Amino acid sequence: MYQKSFFRALVIALALPGSQSAVLPRGSSKSWAGSNEYFLHALPASDQQTYVETLAGWGVKVLRLWVTNVSSGCLKGSTDVLSIPPLESTVGTYDTTVLDALDATLSLLHDNGIKAIISPHNANSLTGSAGCDAYCEKYGDAPTVYSSADAKQDYDNRLNAILEYTSPSFGKQWKDLDDVILAFDLQNEPLIEQTDLLTGNDPDDWLCGRAGALKSSLGSSGIQVATGGIGGSDYCCDHEFNLLQKALDCDAIDILSVHGYMGKASDWAYFITGDQSVLTQANAANKLVMVEEWGVSTDDQDNFDTQVKVFNDAGIPWLYWQVVPGLDASQEGAPSDCGYDTFEIGLNSSKGDVKSAVAAANAATANQSWVGLPGLQR
């Protein structure tokens, strides 16, 4: 998501032809749950500690972090956000301030038994919905970023710079931190708004190419490669692309990330266990699948508690967009003009019982086996 609350979309997966039995049998492990928190690394250490310790106490297993710049001020209920510069103000020139900040956050997560998913770049910064970053400035438009050989090489260099960053907290490169990092996304919502590339099934092989580059850099690491929500929650003409065929067929992709914002639990049920089941498709492709980003607005027909029950009943892991450290906009005393997108849930908010939902996820038998992934063997 990230600065694009105007996208309210269905999650409609592209079904594989025929039906096949699941190849990752249910019953091998428990499910899990967590949250996105793209600006956690920009909060003061004390705010981060309170937040992480609270979620760990609820049983949260995973938080999704972002290699992104953040402006100081008030953001989604947090009034003391610190300024973090981008990794690349110029393509190919790396300022590791953001990696230093994220590394301290990773150390805190590790101390509290929480794993991280790291999104290395935000595709919305190519389209204008989250500004225009160094790649946008250099290549002019998103289609060029996804098709140009030079742009692909620049992006692979960015991935390498992130994976080969040496952690001050752990004394190892990030690519070797499989004790705290569960997965790297290819990007946050790759190919978003690129309808021609999506309907053309990624003709320039950006997805699998970047997945292969990640796999090559990771080597023997246990860290997984996740898609990051292909096409995002933006959609056109009743199509949605989180499970694009190229991703299903790509050996270098381990986890398919589903992003979506539904108003009704029945819509989620249709795409989780119904006629367009992402679980059926992922199991047939021998890949894991998670709901990596989903949110409930205050005006949705079904509330958080009703929608999350679909995931827990199905045994599919989920990460909410987003449980925030500060007050959400529905809470009394919430700061005005603080970058709200209506989907936030504060730690002590009555908007949804996140603590109970996490407990239900941890108790649920997973539809797929997550055994063997460090930190998730349960």
Side-chain angles (χ1 to χ4, degrees):
M1 189 172 175
Y2 186 31
Q3 299 182 0
K4 55 178 181 35
S5 59
F6 51 87
F7 291 135
R8 301 293 310 280
L10 296 178
V11 176
I12 308 173
L14 300 175
L16 289 172
S19 62
Q20 302 179 47
S21 60
V23 293
L24 295 169
R26 184 163 182 157
S28 300
S29 68
K30 296 296 184 181
S31 190
W32 50 271
S35 178
N36 291 265
E37 189 49 74
Y38 75 83
F39 61 94
L40 183 59
H41 61 289
L43 295 179
S46 59
D47 291 8
Q48 292 192 45
Q49 182 173 353
T50 298
Y51 177 78
V52 170
E53 288 180 351
T54 298
L55 266 59
W58 292 355
V60 162
K61 303 298 182 187
V62 179
L63 285 176
R64 183 171 176 235
L65 309 177
W66 300 48
V67 181
T68 188
N69 56 296
V70 182
S71 298
S72 63
C74 185
L75 183 58
K76 302 189 185 301
S78 291
T79 58
D80 53 359
V81 177
L82 306 174
S83 177
I84 301 289
L87 177 64
E88 292 174 276
S89 295
T90 301
V91 173
T93 300
Y94 307 108
D95 179 347
T96 64
T97 301
V98 63
L99 303 183
D100 298 339
L102 283 164
D103 193 71
T105 302
L106 288 175
S107 179
L108 179 61
L109 296 187
H110 184 261
D111 290 345
N112 285 274
I114 294 177
K115 301 276 286 188
I117 294 172
I118 296 180
S119 194
H121 183 257
N122 183 16
N124 294 284
S125 63
L126 304 176
T127 65
S129 60
C132 180
D133 74 352
Y135 289 83
C136 169
E137 292 177 354
K138 179 174 180 178
Y139 291 103
D141 58 33
T144 302
V145 172
Y146 290 118
S147 61
S148 161
D150 288 342
K152 291 177 183 178
Q153 187 59 62
D154 281 339
Y155 192 79
D156 289 350
N157 292 341
R158 177 188 177 93
L159 295 177
N160 284 333
I162 293 169
L163 268 64
E164 293 178 0
Y165 167 80
T166 299
S167 164
S169 301
F170 298 91
K172 297 186 291 187
Q173 293 183 335
W174 273 13
K175 65 182 180 181
D176 297 318
L177 294 183
D178 56 13
D179 52 343
V180 64
I181 300 174
L182 170 65
F184 283 102
D185 285 335
L186 302 178
Q187 188 179 44
N188 174 59
E189 301 186 341
L191 304 178
I192 190 169
E193 297 187 43
Q194 310 312 306
T195 306
D196 289 345
L197 300 181
L198 291 163
T199 56
N201 195 27
D202 185 21
D204 298 298
D205 291 320
W206 190 92
L207 295 165
C208 201
R210 309 297 65 72
L214 273 174
K215 276 293 185 188
S216 178
S217 294
L218 287 169
S220 61
S221 172
I223 296 173
Q224 305 291 288
V225 173
T227 56
I230 301 165
S233 53
D234 186 20
Y235 71 103
C236 171
C237 312
D238 296 326
H239 292 292
E240 198 287 334
F241 303 97
N242 282 181
L243 272 63
L244 200 69
Q245 191 65 48
K246 279 283 182 71
L248 288 164
D249 293 340
C250 179
D251 290 341
I253 290 174
D254 303 302
I255 304 174
L256 301 161
S257 310
V258 171
H259 290 202
Y261 295 79
M262 306 288 190
K264 298 188 296 183
S266 59
D267 290 337
W268 268 124
Y270 180 70
F271 301 116
I272 300 300
T273 56
D275 290 349
Q276 292 290 333
S277 171
V278 295
L279 283 165
T280 298
Q281 296 174 72
N283 282 334
N286 198 20
K287 295 189 184 300
L288 294 165
V289 64
M290 61 183 170
V291 180
E292 186 182 58
E293 186 183 307
W294 68 287
V296 178
S297 181
T298 51
D299 59 359
D300 280 348
Q301 177 175 320
D302 290 329
N303 64 13
F304 171 89
D305 300 327
T306 304
Q307 292 194 37
V308 77
K309 188 175 185 296
V310 174
F311 308 138
N312 289 337
D313 285 352
I316 187 171
W318 53 268
L319 296 101
Y320 188 73
W321 182 272
Q322 58 184 324
V323 180
V324 294
L327 299 175
D328 68 49
S330 72
Q331 294 178 274
E332 184 177 353
S336 60
D337 193 24
C338 198
Y340 290 117
D341 56 31
T342 77
F343 299 106
E344 301 89 358
I345 298 180
L347 289 179
N348 299 307
S349 177
S350 61
K351 183 180 176 183
D353 189 351
V354 181
K355 180 179 179 180
S356 293
V358 170
N362 290 337
T365 300
N367 183 280
Q368 301 175 301
S369 174
W370 293 83
V371 171
L373 299 186
L376 294 177
Q377 302 100 325
R378 302 186 335 280

